[in-house]
Every structure is written in structure tokens, then in C-alpha cells.
Amino acid sequence: MRSLRLKLVVGSLLLLTAVILGFDAFFFLAKRSALLDALDSRLFVAAQALEKRLEIKDGKPAFDPDDEGRTEAAPEAARPIRITDENGRVLHQSASPIDAVWPSSPRDAAAPAWKTVPAGGGRAWRILTWVDRIEIDKDAAEKGAAGGEGTIAVTIQCAEPLAALREELRELGSLLALLSLAAFLTAGGGSFVLAGRALRPIRRINEALAGISASRLDARIDATEFDRELHPLIDQLNGALDRLERGFRQERQFTADASHELRTPLAAILNTIEVLLRRPRAEAELVEAHRDNWRTARSMQTIIEGLLLLARMDAGK
């Protein structure tokens, strides 16, 4: 059996579920983007700190690792880094292990590039690759260093594991799931209660209609006791009750009139028969009495046929 209350509850819960899922997805993606941006910013700050310690020695780039762990941008545990020159020669690589392949660095890179590199065991690293060009002095350039271009390309790469970021996102996902479940259950209970309150006027209308019978057709529903959205329905119900009352009243009047019309000829027939039975009658007197009864019966037949015709018309035949 269909339930309007159940439909209202299910419909509201479906709408709420769509809203909650949309909000959760938006918030989760926004948080993930913010965390990833913060990680990328840390990597870029670290790369800038490393770039400041690059220098040119004998026309070639060099890196002094002595200050690597004491830079302001470096974490307590040394961040994996890798610095190579334009020929792919490794100038420096930290001792911190990385179970991933360092991305190749294009020589014509115009801006820092971030890339997520998968590792074993479902782990991943976020790696920044920055191709920086270091200016060399004019004398070194004239001696042929860097092809006489006056700059030397050096690739700086910094890596950071995504384990902490993924763990924070997992915690956020669990929290959002719990909050969504609590909101769903709360909204479900609230929807059930509100649907019951919304359908209460219908129950009141049903109770008012239950009190109307053939003997109490003059009762009406007071529209002022209900919300204005139900006024058109109540007006239609009251109009139907008005038409029903008029129909019953006309039927009663018609029944009374028909009874009156039939009672008169029937009384005449009975009176004639009663008079005839009082004493023996002559044949001519009997014939005349029977003729009167026949005329009276024909009148009754006309009335009855009229009643039958009206009944057929009311039945749509």
C-alpha cells in the first residue's frame, strides 16, 4: 500500500543525500587541493633555498652540501633532493632514500613542474623539477663554458612523500562520512516528524467528513482552521456537500410528492372496494365501480411510469 508520508520522507532524504554528497565531494576536493598546494609551496621554497647555494667553479656549476640540513626550509628529516647539470651529471643527491624514479628534466622547461610519482606498496612522492639557469662571468663564457651563452642550466629536484597528505585526507573522509551519517539520520527522523505534521490537516479533514451523514448533510468544514494552501480543496469539498445536500433534499421532496400523488388514487380504489363489499350490488353498479377503479389505476400507472422514467434518466439511461 502506498504511503504519502513515506514518499515525502524518502524524497526529502534523497534530496538531502544528493546535497550532502555534493558538499562532501566539494569540501574533500578543496581540502585536497589546498594540502597539495601547501606541499608544492614547501617544495618550491626548498628548491629556492637550494638554488641560492649553487655556484660556478672553474666555469662549471657546483653545490656545497654542507648547509643542506640547516636551511630554514628544510625539515628536521632531510628532504630527498637531486641536482644535475645540463648534461645530466649529478652534482648532488641527498642520502635520504626515495623508492621512486626521478622525473626527467626537459632542458627547455620555462617554469617549475610538480609531478606525483608512484612508488612501491601503494606509496607516492610529490616531486618538484625546476630548471634554473645560473649566470657565469664573462671570462668563463669566453673560454667556452656553457657554449658561450653566459648561463648554465641546472636542474633542481625536491621530493616529499604523500603519506602524511593521504593520511590526513583519510581522516577527513572518515570524519565527513560520520558527519554525513549523523546528518542523514537526524534529517530522516526530522523528515518523518515534519511529514506527519504536514499530513495532519488531511486527517482533520477526514475526521470532519466522517461526521457527515445523510442525517447531517448541513455540516461543513471551516476553512479558516486550516492553512491557506488547503482552502481550495476545502472549498471544493464544501461545494460537493452543498450539491449533495440539494440532491438529497430534492429526492426527499420528490418522494413526498410521489407518495402524496399515489396515496390519493389508492385511497379512492380502497374506498370504492370497501363500499362495494358492504352489500350486494347490481351488475350496472358493479360495472360503474370497476370503471372508476380502472381510471384510478390508470392514473396510478401514469405516475409510476413517470417515476420509472425519472429513475432511468438519473441512471444515465
Side-chain angles (χ1 to χ4, degrees):
M1 184 173 60
R2 296 182 178 180
S3 171
L4 180 58
R5 186 175 190 175
L6 182 61
K7 288 182 178 180
L8 292 174
V9 172
V10 172
S12 61
L13 287 181
L14 289 177
L15 179 60
L16 179 64
T17 300
V19 173
I20 290 177
L21 291 179
F23 172 79
D24 289 348
F26 173 79
F27 187 78
F28 184 86
L29 293 177
K31 183 64 175 179
R32 179 181 181 275
S33 178
L35 292 175
L36 203 58
D37 288 343
L39 190 152
D40 291 345
S41 298
R42 291 197 302 270
L43 290 176
F44 186 64
V45 170
Q48 286 179 319
L50 294 173
E51 186 268 343
K52 293 178 180 179
R53 297 202 303 278
L54 289 171
E55 56 184 9
I56 301 297
K57 291 183 178 180
D58 299 329
K60 295 180 180 181
F63 178 79
D64 183 7
D66 292 341
D67 296 332
E68 177 188 347
R70 295 194 294 270
T71 59
E72 184 177 346
E76 295 179 0
R79 177 184 288 109
I81 64 172
R82 184 171 179 261
I83 302 175
T84 58
D85 61 13
E86 57 187 356
N87 297 320
R89 183 173 62 91
V90 178
L91 302 178
H92 175 75
Q93 184 167 335
S94 63
S96 301
I98 176 173
D99 53 349
V101 179
W102 291 97
S104 58
S105 57
R107 297 186 60 181
D108 56 349
W114 290 267
K115 184 178 182 180
T116 299
V117 179
R123 297 183 300 275
W125 291 81
R126 187 70 171 175
I127 300 178
L128 165 67
T129 300
W130 180 24
V131 179
D132 184 37
R133 305 196 71 86
I134 304 176
E135 294 184 359
I136 60 176
D137 56 38
K138 184 177 180 181
D139 294 338
E142 290 176 352
K143 291 178 181 179
E149 296 178 357
T151 60
I152 296 178
V154 177
T155 301
I156 302 174
Q157 292 181 306
C158 299
E160 187 169 325
L162 292 177
L165 183 145
R166 290 182 172 181
E167 181 62 26
E168 187 170 353
L169 289 178
R170 276 194 293 269
E171 293 177 357
L172 176 62
S174 300
L175 178 60
L176 289 177
L178 290 176
L179 292 177
S180 299
L181 179 61
F184 183 84
L185 295 177
T186 303
S191 299
F192 189 81
V193 174
L194 291 178
R197 295 186 61 183
L199 296 176
R200 188 179 302 168
I202 298 180
R203 291 195 294 270
R204 291 171 57 193
I205 292 175
N206 185 47
E207 293 172 357
L209 291 176
I212 298 175
S213 60
S215 59
R216 291 189 65 252
L217 288 176
D218 57 340
R220 295 295 181 270
I221 303 174
D222 188 4
T224 59
E225 298 180 359
F226 299 88
D227 297 330
R228 64 172 180 270
E229 288 80 6
L230 294 175
H231 288 181
L233 173 62
I234 295 175
D235 292 341
Q236 291 292 334
L237 290 175
N238 287 334
L241 291 174
D242 289 338
R243 293 189 293 272
L244 185 63
E245 183 183 12
R246 287 197 299 270
F248 267 86
R249 188 183 300 114
Q250 292 172 357
E251 182 180 356
R252 292 193 188 99
Q253 184 65 38
F254 177 78
T255 302
D257 294 342
S259 300
H260 178 72
E261 293 294 331
L262 290 175
R263 183 175 57 183
T264 301
L266 182 60
I269 293 175
L270 292 175
N271 184 55
T272 301
I273 294 175
E274 183 180 354
V275 171
L276 291 176
L277 292 176
R278 287 178 181 175
R279 59 181 177 84
R281 303 289 180 178
E283 181 178 356
E285 190 176 3
L286 290 174
V287 169
E288 183 63 25
H290 287 316
R291 185 177 290 112
D292 291 340
N293 288 338
W294 179 83
R295 285 194 294 266
T296 304
R298 287 286 298 175
S299 176
M300 292 177 63
Q301 182 182 18
T302 301
I303 295 174
I304 292 172
E305 288 178 352
L307 294 175
L308 180 60
L309 176 63
L310 291 176
R312 288 178 176 177
M313 291 175 62
D314 290 340
K317 297 181 181 182

